[in-house]
Amino acid sequence: VYAVGYVKLVVTVVKYIPQAWKNHRKKSTVGWSINQILMDLLGGVLSVAQLLIDSSLQNDWSGVTGNPVKLGLGNVSVLFDVIFMLQHYVLYREASKVKEEQHDGERQFLLSRDEDEEVIRHR
């Protein structure tokens, strides 16, 4: 069972690296939502907090080190989430704004509001 936990830890590390590298190469975070990163950060912080709270209530800190996979998963998640937030909010903020403005044309409606109302009336 412990081996499966360590496999999950390795998979978690491997899954974050391509996105961090892609953002670094593009110098942009356009194309993905920061919301999922914020939720992942919350999950990682709460996971580590649970380990710390449980251990402090039991006055036995071996609970933190006794579950290295959970501690590792929480810390890896928090580490990469901080990297992604730095990329999104600090390093590539201006580049992301420019690229989003360039894509605004793709978000325009095909019909204007008046044309849309006329189409509905003719149905």
Side-chain angles (χ1 to χ4, degrees):
V1 175
Y2 288 110
V4 174
Y6 286 105
V7 169
K8 182 177 181 178
L9 182 58
V10 170
V11 168
T12 299
V13 171
V14 170
K15 79 175 181 177
Y16 286 121
I17 292 172
Q19 186 65 55
W21 181 250
K22 182 177 181 182
N23 293 349
H24 172 70
R25 250 190 19 245
K26 289 179 13 180
K27 305 289 186 224
S28 171
T29 59
V30 171
W32 60 275
S33 173
I34 191 68
N35 294 333
Q36 68 188 16
I37 300 303
L38 298 175
M39 297 306 260
D40 191 48
L41 175 67
L42 180 63
V45 168
L46 290 175
S47 179
V48 173
Q50 180 188 18
L51 281 174
L52 295 173
I53 291 169
D54 286 346
S55 292
S56 71
L57 290 175
Q58 295 174 1
N59 287 328
D60 180 16
W61 293 100
S62 67
V64 174
T65 57
N67 196 345
V69 173
K70 184 171 183 172
L71 182 63
L73 285 170
N75 286 324
V76 165
S77 293
V78 169
L79 173 72
F80 276 98
D81 293 338
V82 168
I83 290 170
F84 291 137
M85 289 187 319
L86 284 172
Q87 287 178 330
H88 186 76
Y89 291 119
V90 179
L91 298 174
Y92 312 135
R93 185 173 74 185
E94 294 302 319
S96 295
K97 285 182 184 178
V98 169
K99 288 184 180 180
E100 284 177 4
E101 289 172 2
Q102 291 172 350
H103 293 290
D104 278 345
E106 296 174 8
R107 296 183 186 143
Q108 293 177 354
F109 296 109
L110 294 175
L111 298 174
S112 68
R113 186 177 201 108
D114 295 333
E115 292 171 324
D116 194 30
E117 290 173 0
E118 191 170 323
V119 167
I120 292 172
R121 276 185 279 173
H122 282 64
R123 285 188 183 175

